[in-house]
Short mmCIF file of all heavy atoms in Angstrom, two decimals:
data_model
loop_
_atom_site.label_atom_id
_atom_site.label_comp_id
_atom_site.label_asym_id
_atom_site.label_seq_id
_atom_site.Cartn_x
_atom_site.Cartn_y
_atom_site.Cartn_z
N GLN A 1 -4.09 -6.39 -14.59
CA GLN A 1 -3.47 -7.68 -14.87
C GLN A 1 -2.01 -7.63 -14.45
O GLN A 1 -1.22 -6.86 -14.99
CB GLN A 1 -3.59 -8.04 -16.34
CG GLN A 1 -3.12 -9.46 -16.66
CD GLN A 1 -3.54 -9.91 -18.04
OE1 GLN A 1 -3.80 -9.10 -18.92
NE2 GLN A 1 -3.62 -11.21 -18.23
N ALA A 2 -1.68 -8.47 -13.49
CA ALA A 2 -0.31 -8.61 -13.03
C ALA A 2 0.40 -9.67 -13.86
O ALA A 2 -0.25 -10.56 -14.44
CB ALA A 2 -0.28 -8.98 -11.55
N PRO A 3 1.72 -9.62 -13.92
CA PRO A 3 2.45 -10.62 -14.70
C PRO A 3 2.12 -12.04 -14.27
O PRO A 3 2.14 -12.36 -13.09
CB PRO A 3 3.91 -10.28 -14.43
CG PRO A 3 3.90 -8.83 -14.08
CD PRO A 3 2.61 -8.62 -13.33
N GLY A 4 1.81 -12.88 -15.24
CA GLY A 4 1.52 -14.27 -14.97
C GLY A 4 0.17 -14.54 -14.37
O GLY A 4 -0.11 -15.70 -14.02
N LYS A 5 -0.67 -13.53 -14.24
CA LYS A 5 -1.97 -13.70 -13.63
C LYS A 5 -3.07 -13.29 -14.59
O LYS A 5 -2.84 -12.58 -15.57
CB LYS A 5 -2.08 -12.91 -12.33
CG LYS A 5 -1.13 -13.36 -11.25
CD LYS A 5 -1.37 -12.61 -9.95
CE LYS A 5 -0.45 -13.11 -8.85
NZ LYS A 5 -0.71 -12.39 -7.57
N GLN A 6 -4.27 -13.76 -14.30
CA GLN A 6 -5.41 -13.39 -15.10
C GLN A 6 -5.80 -11.94 -14.84
O GLN A 6 -5.54 -11.39 -13.77
CB GLN A 6 -6.60 -14.30 -14.80
CG GLN A 6 -6.39 -15.76 -15.15
CD GLN A 6 -7.65 -16.57 -14.93
OE1 GLN A 6 -8.67 -16.35 -15.59
NE2 GLN A 6 -7.59 -17.51 -14.00
N ARG A 7 -6.42 -11.35 -15.82
CA ARG A 7 -6.94 -10.01 -15.64
C ARG A 7 -8.09 -10.04 -14.64
O ARG A 7 -8.98 -10.89 -14.72
CB ARG A 7 -7.42 -9.46 -16.99
CG ARG A 7 -7.76 -7.99 -16.98
CD ARG A 7 -7.96 -7.47 -18.40
NE ARG A 7 -6.74 -7.58 -19.19
CZ ARG A 7 -6.61 -7.14 -20.43
NH1 ARG A 7 -7.64 -6.55 -21.03
NH2 ARG A 7 -5.46 -7.30 -21.08
N GLU A 8 -8.06 -9.13 -13.69
CA GLU A 8 -9.07 -9.11 -12.66
C GLU A 8 -9.81 -7.77 -12.65
O GLU A 8 -9.23 -6.71 -12.91
CB GLU A 8 -8.47 -9.39 -11.27
CG GLU A 8 -7.54 -8.32 -10.76
CD GLU A 8 -7.13 -8.54 -9.31
OE1 GLU A 8 -7.86 -9.20 -8.56
OE2 GLU A 8 -6.04 -8.05 -8.93
N TRP A 9 -11.05 -7.84 -12.30
CA TRP A 9 -11.88 -6.66 -12.19
C TRP A 9 -11.51 -5.87 -10.94
O TRP A 9 -11.27 -6.46 -9.87
CB TRP A 9 -13.35 -7.07 -12.14
CG TRP A 9 -14.28 -5.96 -11.78
CD1 TRP A 9 -14.72 -4.96 -12.59
CD2 TRP A 9 -14.90 -5.77 -10.51
NE1 TRP A 9 -15.58 -4.14 -11.90
CE2 TRP A 9 -15.71 -4.62 -10.62
CE3 TRP A 9 -14.85 -6.45 -9.29
CZ2 TRP A 9 -16.46 -4.14 -9.56
CZ3 TRP A 9 -15.61 -5.98 -8.23
CH2 TRP A 9 -16.40 -4.83 -8.37
N VAL A 10 -11.47 -4.57 -11.06
CA VAL A 10 -11.09 -3.70 -9.96
C VAL A 10 -12.25 -2.84 -9.49
O VAL A 10 -12.53 -2.75 -8.29
CB VAL A 10 -9.90 -2.80 -10.36
CG1 VAL A 10 -9.60 -1.77 -9.26
CG2 VAL A 10 -8.67 -3.65 -10.65
N ALA A 11 -12.92 -2.18 -10.43
CA ALA A 11 -13.95 -1.23 -10.05
C ALA A 11 -14.89 -0.98 -11.21
O ALA A 11 -14.53 -1.18 -12.37
CB ALA A 11 -13.34 0.10 -9.58
N THR A 12 -16.07 -0.53 -10.88
CA THR A 12 -17.09 -0.18 -11.86
C THR A 12 -17.70 1.16 -11.50
O THR A 12 -17.95 1.44 -10.32
CB THR A 12 -18.20 -1.24 -11.91
OG1 THR A 12 -17.67 -2.48 -12.37
CG2 THR A 12 -19.34 -0.80 -12.83
N ILE A 13 -17.94 1.97 -12.50
CA ILE A 13 -18.77 3.14 -12.33
C ILE A 13 -19.81 3.14 -13.43
O ILE A 13 -19.49 3.06 -14.62
CB ILE A 13 -17.97 4.46 -12.30
CG1 ILE A 13 -18.91 5.64 -12.04
CG2 ILE A 13 -17.15 4.65 -13.57
CD1 ILE A 13 -18.18 6.91 -11.61
N ARG A 14 -21.07 3.19 -13.05
CA ARG A 14 -22.15 3.15 -13.99
C ARG A 14 -22.52 4.54 -14.46
O ARG A 14 -22.05 5.54 -13.92
CB ARG A 14 -23.35 2.41 -13.38
CG ARG A 14 -23.03 0.95 -13.07
CD ARG A 14 -24.16 0.24 -12.37
NE ARG A 14 -23.84 -1.16 -12.16
CZ ARG A 14 -23.11 -1.61 -11.15
NH1 ARG A 14 -22.64 -0.79 -10.23
NH2 ARG A 14 -22.86 -2.91 -11.04
N SER A 15 -23.36 4.57 -15.46
CA SER A 15 -23.71 5.85 -16.05
C SER A 15 -24.35 6.79 -15.03
O SER A 15 -24.18 8.00 -15.11
CB SER A 15 -24.65 5.64 -17.24
OG SER A 15 -25.84 4.98 -16.84
N GLY A 16 -25.07 6.22 -14.08
CA GLY A 16 -25.69 7.03 -13.05
C GLY A 16 -24.78 7.40 -11.90
O GLY A 16 -25.20 8.12 -11.00
N GLY A 17 -23.54 6.91 -11.92
CA GLY A 17 -22.57 7.27 -10.91
C GLY A 17 -22.37 6.26 -9.80
O GLY A 17 -21.47 6.44 -8.97
N THR A 18 -23.16 5.20 -9.77
CA THR A 18 -22.97 4.19 -8.74
C THR A 18 -21.68 3.43 -8.99
O THR A 18 -21.26 3.23 -10.13
CB THR A 18 -24.15 3.23 -8.69
OG1 THR A 18 -24.32 2.60 -9.96
CG2 THR A 18 -25.42 3.97 -8.31
N THR A 19 -21.05 2.99 -7.93
CA THR A 19 -19.75 2.35 -8.02
C THR A 19 -19.73 1.03 -7.27
O THR A 19 -20.50 0.81 -6.34
CB THR A 19 -18.64 3.26 -7.46
OG1 THR A 19 -18.93 3.56 -6.09
CG2 THR A 19 -18.55 4.55 -8.26
N ASN A 20 -18.81 0.17 -7.68
CA ASN A 20 -18.52 -1.08 -7.00
C ASN A 20 -17.02 -1.31 -7.06
O ASN A 20 -16.36 -0.89 -8.01
CB ASN A 20 -19.26 -2.25 -7.63
CG ASN A 20 -20.74 -2.23 -7.36
OD1 ASN A 20 -21.18 -2.56 -6.26
ND2 ASN A 20 -21.53 -1.84 -8.35
N TYR A 21 -16.50 -2.01 -6.06
CA TYR A 21 -15.07 -2.23 -5.96
C TYR A 21 -14.77 -3.67 -5.59
O TYR A 21 -15.52 -4.31 -4.85
CB TYR A 21 -14.45 -1.32 -4.91
CG TYR A 21 -14.64 0.14 -5.20
CD1 TYR A 21 -15.73 0.83 -4.67
CD2 TYR A 21 -13.74 0.83 -5.99
CE1 TYR A 21 -15.91 2.18 -4.95
CE2 TYR A 21 -13.92 2.17 -6.27
CZ TYR A 21 -15.00 2.84 -5.75
OH TYR A 21 -15.18 4.18 -6.02
N ALA A 22 -13.64 -4.15 -6.09
CA ALA A 22 -13.14 -5.43 -5.65
C ALA A 22 -12.70 -5.34 -4.20
O ALA A 22 -12.24 -4.30 -3.72
CB ALA A 22 -11.98 -5.87 -6.53
N GLY A 23 -12.83 -6.46 -3.50
CA GLY A 23 -12.45 -6.47 -2.10
C GLY A 23 -11.00 -6.09 -1.87
O GLY A 23 -10.67 -5.48 -0.84
N SER A 24 -10.14 -6.40 -2.81
CA SER A 24 -8.72 -6.13 -2.65
C SER A 24 -8.38 -4.65 -2.65
O SER A 24 -7.30 -4.26 -2.19
CB SER A 24 -7.92 -6.84 -3.74
OG SER A 24 -8.37 -6.44 -5.03
N VAL A 25 -9.27 -3.81 -3.18
CA VAL A 25 -9.01 -2.38 -3.25
C VAL A 25 -10.01 -1.58 -2.44
O VAL A 25 -9.95 -0.34 -2.43
CB VAL A 25 -9.00 -1.88 -4.70
CG1 VAL A 25 -8.01 -2.68 -5.53
CG2 VAL A 25 -10.39 -1.94 -5.32
N TRP A 26 -10.88 -2.25 -1.75
CA TRP A 26 -11.93 -1.58 -0.98
C TRP A 26 -11.33 -0.61 0.02
O TRP A 26 -10.43 -0.94 0.79
CB TRP A 26 -12.78 -2.62 -0.25
CG TRP A 26 -13.96 -2.05 0.46
CD1 TRP A 26 -14.00 -1.62 1.76
CD2 TRP A 26 -15.26 -1.84 -0.08
NE1 TRP A 26 -15.25 -1.15 2.06
CE2 TRP A 26 -16.05 -1.28 0.94
CE3 TRP A 26 -15.83 -2.08 -1.32
CZ2 TRP A 26 -17.39 -0.94 0.75
CZ3 TRP A 26 -17.16 -1.75 -1.52
CH2 TRP A 26 -17.92 -1.19 -0.49
N GLY A 27 -11.86 0.59 0.02
CA GLY A 27 -11.40 1.61 0.95
C GLY A 27 -10.15 2.35 0.51
O GLY A 27 -9.78 3.34 1.15
N ARG A 28 -9.50 1.90 -0.54
CA ARG A 28 -8.28 2.54 -1.02
C ARG A 28 -8.44 3.20 -2.38
O ARG A 28 -7.81 4.22 -2.65
CB ARG A 28 -7.14 1.52 -1.09
CG ARG A 28 -6.79 0.90 0.25
CD ARG A 28 -5.53 0.04 0.15
NE ARG A 28 -5.72 -1.10 -0.76
CZ ARG A 28 -5.00 -1.31 -1.86
NH1 ARG A 28 -4.03 -0.47 -2.19
NH2 ARG A 28 -5.23 -2.37 -2.62
N PHE A 29 -9.26 2.61 -3.23
CA PHE A 29 -9.44 3.12 -4.58
C PHE A 29 -10.80 3.77 -4.71
O PHE A 29 -11.78 3.34 -4.08
CB PHE A 29 -9.35 1.99 -5.61
CG PHE A 29 -7.98 1.40 -5.80
CD1 PHE A 29 -6.93 1.68 -4.94
CD2 PHE A 29 -7.75 0.54 -6.86
CE1 PHE A 29 -5.68 1.13 -5.12
CE2 PHE A 29 -6.50 -0.02 -7.06
CZ PHE A 29 -5.46 0.27 -6.19
N THR A 30 -10.87 4.78 -5.56
CA THR A 30 -12.12 5.46 -5.85
C THR A 30 -12.22 5.69 -7.35
O THR A 30 -11.32 6.27 -7.95
CB THR A 30 -12.22 6.81 -5.12
OG1 THR A 30 -12.08 6.61 -3.71
CG2 THR A 30 -13.56 7.47 -5.41
N VAL A 31 -13.31 5.25 -7.93
CA VAL A 31 -13.54 5.47 -9.35
C VAL A 31 -14.54 6.62 -9.49
O VAL A 31 -15.50 6.72 -8.72
CB VAL A 31 -14.03 4.19 -10.04
CG1 VAL A 31 -15.36 3.71 -9.46
CG2 VAL A 31 -14.13 4.39 -11.55
N SER A 32 -14.29 7.47 -10.44
CA SER A 32 -15.16 8.61 -10.69
C SER A 32 -15.17 8.90 -12.18
O SER A 32 -14.41 8.32 -12.95
CB SER A 32 -14.72 9.84 -9.89
OG SER A 32 -13.41 10.24 -10.26
N ARG A 33 -16.03 9.82 -12.58
CA ARG A 33 -16.08 10.18 -13.98
C ARG A 33 -16.42 11.65 -14.15
O ARG A 33 -17.09 12.26 -13.30
CB ARG A 33 -17.10 9.30 -14.73
CG ARG A 33 -18.55 9.53 -14.35
CD ARG A 33 -19.44 8.40 -14.84
NE ARG A 33 -19.39 8.25 -16.29
CZ ARG A 33 -19.71 7.13 -16.94
NH1 ARG A 33 -20.10 6.06 -16.26
NH2 ARG A 33 -19.64 7.09 -18.26
N ASP A 34 -15.96 12.19 -15.23
CA ASP A 34 -16.29 13.55 -15.63
C ASP A 34 -16.77 13.45 -17.07
O ASP A 34 -15.97 13.42 -18.01
CB ASP A 34 -15.09 14.47 -15.51
CG ASP A 34 -15.43 15.92 -15.78
OD1 ASP A 34 -16.46 16.20 -16.43
OD2 ASP A 34 -14.66 16.80 -15.33
N ASN A 35 -18.06 13.38 -17.23
CA ASN A 35 -18.61 13.17 -18.56
C ASN A 35 -18.32 14.34 -19.49
O ASN A 35 -18.18 14.15 -20.70
CB ASN A 35 -20.12 12.94 -18.47
CG ASN A 35 -20.47 11.58 -17.89
OD1 ASN A 35 -19.69 10.64 -17.98
ND2 ASN A 35 -21.65 11.48 -17.30
N ALA A 36 -18.22 15.54 -18.94
CA ALA A 36 -17.90 16.69 -19.78
C ALA A 36 -16.53 16.56 -20.41
O ALA A 36 -16.29 17.10 -21.49
CB ALA A 36 -18.00 17.98 -18.97
N LYS A 37 -15.62 15.87 -19.73
CA LYS A 37 -14.28 15.65 -20.25
C LYS A 37 -14.12 14.28 -20.89
O LYS A 37 -13.01 13.93 -21.30
CB LYS A 37 -13.25 15.82 -19.14
CG LYS A 37 -13.19 17.22 -18.56
CD LYS A 37 -12.13 17.32 -17.48
CE LYS A 37 -12.04 18.73 -16.93
NZ LYS A 37 -11.01 18.85 -15.87
N ASN A 38 -15.18 13.51 -20.94
CA ASN A 38 -15.12 12.16 -21.49
C ASN A 38 -14.03 11.33 -20.83
O ASN A 38 -13.28 10.60 -21.49
CB ASN A 38 -14.90 12.20 -23.00
CG ASN A 38 -16.08 12.78 -23.75
OD1 ASN A 38 -17.23 12.44 -23.46
ND2 ASN A 38 -15.81 13.65 -24.71
N THR A 39 -13.94 11.44 -19.52
CA THR A 39 -12.85 10.82 -18.80
C THR A 39 -13.36 10.10 -17.55
O THR A 39 -14.22 10.62 -16.84
CB THR A 39 -11.79 11.85 -18.39
OG1 THR A 39 -11.30 12.51 -19.57
CG2 THR A 39 -10.62 11.19 -17.67
N VAL A 40 -12.81 8.93 -17.32
CA VAL A 40 -13.03 8.16 -16.11
C VAL A 40 -11.72 8.11 -15.34
O VAL A 40 -10.65 7.99 -15.93
CB VAL A 40 -13.54 6.75 -16.44
CG1 VAL A 40 -13.69 5.92 -15.17
CG2 VAL A 40 -14.87 6.83 -17.17
N TYR A 41 -11.81 8.19 -14.03
CA TYR A 41 -10.63 8.23 -13.18
C TYR A 41 -10.62 7.06 -12.21
O TYR A 41 -11.66 6.53 -11.83
CB TYR A 41 -10.57 9.52 -12.38
CG TYR A 41 -10.60 10.77 -13.21
CD1 TYR A 41 -11.80 11.44 -13.44
CD2 TYR A 41 -9.44 11.28 -13.77
CE1 TYR A 41 -11.83 12.59 -14.20
CE2 TYR A 41 -9.46 12.42 -14.54
CZ TYR A 41 -10.66 13.08 -14.75
OH TYR A 41 -10.69 14.22 -15.51
N LEU A 42 -9.43 6.69 -11.80
CA LEU A 42 -9.25 5.75 -10.72
C LEU A 42 -8.23 6.33 -9.76
O LEU A 42 -7.03 6.36 -10.07
CB LEU A 42 -8.80 4.38 -11.22
CG LEU A 42 -8.70 3.29 -10.15
CD1 LEU A 42 -10.08 2.95 -9.60
CD2 LEU A 42 -8.02 2.05 -10.70
#
């Protein structure tokens, strides 16, 4: 969420590891997870 703007979706990572990205970050951002550490990364 940028100042004065609505909150926008950026990325999704599902329990099985599949991902989706907003067009604005495509090719630049990567979402991942480490379930052993209970952590999701961007």
Side-chain angles (χ1 to χ4, degrees):
Q1 187 166 23
K5 297 185 177 181
Q6 296 185 64
R7 190 169 298 184
E8 67 172 335
W9 170 78
V10 174
T12 295
I13 183 164
R14 297 176 177 83
S15 60
T18 58
T19 59
N20 288 284
Y21 300 93
S24 57
V25 305
W26 185 269
R28 299 187 297 120
F29 290 11
T30 303
V31 62
S32 61
R33 67 195 301 158
D34 186 339
N35 288 334
K37 296 181 178 180
N38 293 315
T39 302
V40 177
Y41 303 96
L42 185 67

